[in-house]
């Protein structure tokens, strides 16, 4: 297996993922890129990172371009990450019970689905029979496939509140021991789709709450501004915009005002 990538080859992959996803990889990510791609080179029987880059660039294999994007994105996530966001969601959902029309939430970089299913559990609990909709999107098709299936190792589910575990999750038995499946009725309520936040967005309608958490950390300031402007265009005035706790919208957008760390409201 190849264990080194030279500076020129690394530069090619920096450019590739910036153009494809808006992700800025600093020089410190060289070992990470090498580690993530070297197995793929072996699978494709390619002798160098340069050869792999030329394959991606050639336009001959669009599926391989998606595979490389999947390998170069970071998909770390878990259920009920940042509980304050779910307290806010609960409050907003309660307040929406008397409003007209469905309560709409977008999980805009949903990774393998844990964020979107956490949102769905809260809405099913608090809002029903009032209608609600969740759009869950990501650039990586590999994580979206896992999200649609909704099958997770039990070790990753410890933050799901007990009543929700009982109501919305099926515990694996036999060969599925140690796993958990989101029950079909809840799964069928979500729309998963591929959306690149670094390109013009499809028509998704307007949302009451948008989760855009732990993705802008990978973007430079200019890309953050462009992505925030695009995504905020899909938020209702007075709607809530939630970002990761290590992220900030300082210098990024004046379209929202900060309510609390990582919680913003559209003006
Ligand atoms: C660290 S995960 C965050 C998951 C979840 N929002 C959370 O906070 O737990 C970041 C996700 O952003 C996605 N991503 C990166 N660039 C993207 C882009 N340009 N468009 C859409 N999704 C992107 C990655 O595929 C990855 O699944």
């Amino acid at each position: 297996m190849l264990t080194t990538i030279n500076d020129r080859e690394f530069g090619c992959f920096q450019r590739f993922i910036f153009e494809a996803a808006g992700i800025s990889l600093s020089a410190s990510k060289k070992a990470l890129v090498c580690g993530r791609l070297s197995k793929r080179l072996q699978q494709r029987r390619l002798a160098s990172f340069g050869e792999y880059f030329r394959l991606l660039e050639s336009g001959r294999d669009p599926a391989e371009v998606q595979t490389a994007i999947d390998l170069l994105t970071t998909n770390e996530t878990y259920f009920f990450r940042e509980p304050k966001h779910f307290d806010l969601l609960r409050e907003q959902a309660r307040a929406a019970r008397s409003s007209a029309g469905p309560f709409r939430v977008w999980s805009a970089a949903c990774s393998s689905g844990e964020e979107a299913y956490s949102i769905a559990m809260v809405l099913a609990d608090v809002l029903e029979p009032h209608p609600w909709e969740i759009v869950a999107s990501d650039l990586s098709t590999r994580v979206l496939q896992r999200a649609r299936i909704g099958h997770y190792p039990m070790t990753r589910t410890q933050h799901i509140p007990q009543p929700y575990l009982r109501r919305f999750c099926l515990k694996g038995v036999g060969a599925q021991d140690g796993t958990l499946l989101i029950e079909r009725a809840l799964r069928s309520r979500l729309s998963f789709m591929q959306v690149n936040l670094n390109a013009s967005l499809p028509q998704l309608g307007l949302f009451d709450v948008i989760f855009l958490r732990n993705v802008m950390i990978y973007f430079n300031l200019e890309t953050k501004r462009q992505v925030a402007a695009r995504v905020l265009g899909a938020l209702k005035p007075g709607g809530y915009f939630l970002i990761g706790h290590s992220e900030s919208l300082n210098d990024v957008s004046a379209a929202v005002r900060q309510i609390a760390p990582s919680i913003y409201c559209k003006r």
Side-chain angles (χ1 to χ4, degrees):
M1 200 181 304
L2 269 176
T3 52
T4 54
I5 181 169
N6 68 38
D7 287 347
R8 199 175 44 78
E9 290 167 333
F10 178 63
C12 292
F13 285 100
Q14 275 180 312
R15 238 184 9 260
F16 166 77
I17 198 64
F18 181 72
E19 281 165 13
I23 294 173
S24 295
L25 289 175
S26 66
S28 65
K29 295 291 190 310
K30 214 171 144 185
L32 179 133
V33 168
C34 180
R36 288 188 180 178
L37 296 182
S38 57
K39 202 167 149 203
R40 189 65 191 154
L41 262 64
Q42 203 180 25
Q43 286 164 348
R44 296 294 313 243
R45 299 179 190 284
L46 298 171
S48 72
F49 288 97
E51 229 179 282
Y52 187 49
F53 179 70
R54 282 190 290 283
L55 170 66
L56 299 177
E57 217 186 15
S58 70
R60 276 187 285 120
D61 195 343
E64 192 59 45
V65 171
Q66 183 63 51
T67 302
I69 292 172
D70 288 349
L71 289 169
L72 291 173
T73 47
T74 298
N75 313 113
E76 157 76 9
T77 186
Y78 50 90
F79 285 95
F80 288 92
R81 186 176 196 175
E82 296 173 33
K84 279 199 166 50
H85 290 169
F86 293 93
D87 295 341
L88 176 111
L89 182 70
R90 206 168 274 118
E91 265 172 42
Q92 292 305 308
R94 280 204 185 102
R97 279 173 183 160
S98 52
S99 66
F103 186 75
R104 302 189 75 237
V105 182
W106 182 16
S107 168
C110 69
S111 187
S112 37
E114 289 87 332
E115 177 177 279
Y117 288 124
S118 305
I119 298 167
M121 289 180 200
V122 170
L123 300 192
D125 179 30
V126 171
L127 255 179
E128 281 177 359
H130 189 86
W132 53 271
E133 291 171 12
I134 296 174
V135 173
S137 66
D138 201 281
L139 174 61
S140 164
T141 50
R142 182 185 52 162
V143 289
L144 282 170
Q145 200 176 342
R146 294 202 334 244
R148 287 189 184 99
I149 295 168
H151 190 206
Y152 301 98
M154 203 72 93
T155 46
R156 302 253 310 278
T157 60
Q158 73 264 34
H159 298 296
I160 304 179
Q162 276 299 328
Y164 289 177
L165 274 174
R166 282 194 293 273
R167 183 168 162 198
F168 301 116
C169 307
L170 302 168
K171 200 171 161 203
V173 290
Q176 302 301 336
D177 196 26
T179 69
L180 172 153
L181 182 68
I182 305 295
E183 59 129 31
R184 188 192 294 265
L186 194 71
R187 258 184 293 142
S188 68
R189 299 290 308 272
L190 283 77
S191 306
F192 288 104
M193 62 176 78
Q194 186 185 33
V195 173
N196 185 354
L197 300 169
N198 192 42
S200 49
L201 300 177
Q203 286 297 330
L204 298 171
L206 288 177
F207 294 92
D208 296 280
V209 181
I210 297 178
F211 287 66
L212 185 72
R213 307 190 308 166
N214 305 301
V215 59
M216 284 196 291
I217 32 168
Y218 303 107
F219 300 155
N220 66 23
L221 182 60
E222 191 45 39
T223 307
K224 278 183 196 168
R225 285 181 179 149
Q226 291 166 0
V227 168
R230 236 174 249 135
V231 172
L232 284 167
L235 186 63
K236 290 181 187 170
Y240 284 85
F241 187 61
L242 309 176
I243 64 174
H245 74 269
S246 61
E247 300 170 309
S248 142
L249 290 183
N250 286 347
D251 292 335
V252 171
S253 176
V256 284
R257 64 190 166 86
Q258 189 167 21
I259 304 292
S262 75
I263 301 180
Y264 295 80
C265 182
K266 186 163 171 182
R267 294 179 199 279

